[in-house]
Amino acid sequence: MRHRAVSLPVLLLLAATLVALGSAPLWAASRTVRYDAGQIRDAVRRAVESQAPWPAGTVRVTFPQSVQEMRLQGEKISHEASPAQGNPFLGSGQYVVRFYDGRVSLAEQRVQVLVEVLRDVLLSARPLDRGTRIEPGDIRVVKRWVRHIPAQAVTQAGEAVGKQLGVNLAPHTEITRSMLRESPVVRKGEPVRIVYEEGPLRIVALGVCEEDGREGGLIRVRNASSRRTVHARVVGDSTVELVF
């Protein structure tokens, strides 16, 4: 039996075929990865919680719009979620979920979010009139999910007790610092001591307030002996200092 010689072109073709076959495992490594809506929401939720400045368990993330499933093909599929530019910590915002094959960007999806935080809120326990001096029974602290925190937020009862209301409040109304006033230390019609000091000289007289006054404020006081009205600075409970 005779063996036929194989020509050089045929050998080159065989070599090329073997090279192509040798690369087949690399092609076979490519796969299709499915991210369902729940996985994408979880990725966004983790990103929000990792950037939130509040303790774990006090941040709630909801999704006002539907999230789309993603199907991607590649060898090393990965993803990351990050806030869109200018996205606030709280309230309505948008996160971007980006998908990669190694370092190559494949796709992205923008996801609308609503971020809320659980915080203490100070509420009126009953109807309160303007000018009311707040007592512990007038208020209560509750926990509430909020989408924004007022700049003048009050979260502790001690910040309000003893203060005077500057507005009328209905029951269960949130109280802010802008609603509070320092309570008068002295009140109109009440007796006070009028003190005058100059070096070693100290004179004390009795007087009657002609208006309410907070500590450090100037009020009009009538001298009980001379009946003369003078201006004095409130320096303490039932005590004012004569001002010239």
Side-chain angles (χ1 to χ4, degrees), residues 116-132:
E116 299 169 290
V117 63
L118 185 65
R119 61 180 287 269
D120 289 337
V121 176
L122 191 68
L123 303 180
S124 55
R126 60 183 184 83
L128 297 173
D129 295 329
R130 179 179 180 180
T132 299

Side-chain angles (χ1 to χ4, degrees), residues 8-204:
L8 180 60
V10 172
L11 289 174
L12 292 175
L13 179 61
L14 288 172
T17 302
L18 289 173
V19 170
L21 291 173
S23 65
L26 295 178
W27 175 84
S30 179
R31 59 196 178 97
T32 299
V33 177
R34 172 179 173 267
Y35 287 89
D36 62 32
Q39 290 173 302
I40 295 173
R41 284 193 293 265
D42 287 343
V44 172
R45 189 176 288 109
R46 287 193 296 269
V48 173
E49 292 173 349
S50 69
Q51 297 183 41
W54 301 284
T58 62
V59 177
R60 182 168 70 179
V61 184
T62 54
F63 301 86
Q65 297 181 8
S66 62
V67 177
Q68 301 301 314
E69 174 185 295
M70 300 291 288
R71 289 181 180 269
L72 305 153
Q73 188 170 359
E75 297 177 17
K76 297 180 180 180
I77 303 297
S78 62
H79 69 278
E80 66 174 16
S82 58
Q85 186 175 5
N87 188 53
F89 283 122
L90 277 179
S92 298
Q94 190 178 75
Y95 272 67
V96 183
V97 185
R98 296 181 174 88
F99 301 89
Y100 300 90
D101 182 8
R103 296 183 178 181
V104 178
S105 177
L106 295 178
E108 69 175 43
Q109 182 178 167
R110 291 182 175 264
V111 179
Q112 293 296 128
V113 297
L114 177 61
V115 183
E116 299 169 290
V117 63
L118 185 65
R119 61 180 287 269
D120 289 337
V121 176
L122 191 68
L123 303 180
S124 55
R126 60 183 184 83
L128 297 173
D129 295 329
R130 179 179 180 180
T132 299
R133 186 179 187 275
I134 297 177
E135 302 295 340
D138 296 330
I139 54 178
R140 61 191 183 99
V141 178
V142 301
K143 290 190 178 296
R144 177 181 287 179
W145 289 104
V146 299
R147 301 177 185 182
H148 74 281
I149 299 178
Q152 299 291 320
V154 179
T155 59
Q156 299 179 9
E159 297 180 67
V161 171
K163 301 288 180 63
Q164 190 178 57
L165 270 177
V167 296
N168 296 321
L169 289 183
H172 317 303
T173 301
E174 182 175 356
I175 298 173
T176 64
R177 288 192 179 90
S178 61
M179 299 176 181
L180 302 175
R181 307 286 184 271
E182 292 294 334
S183 292
V185 177
V186 296
R187 294 184 178 277
K188 181 178 179 179
E190 291 183 349
V192 290
R193 293 185 306 161
I194 305 173
V195 177
Y196 173 73
E197 290 185 298
E198 182 68 32
L201 178 65
R202 188 172 192 270
I203 300 173
V204 179

Side-chain angles (χ1 to χ4, degrees), residues 208-223:
V208 178
C209 295
E210 294 192 343
E211 56 188 325
D212 293 348
R214 300 179 179 86
E215 188 165 357
L218 288 175
I219 62 169
R220 289 171 292 132
V221 180
R222 186 175 70 253
N223 187 298

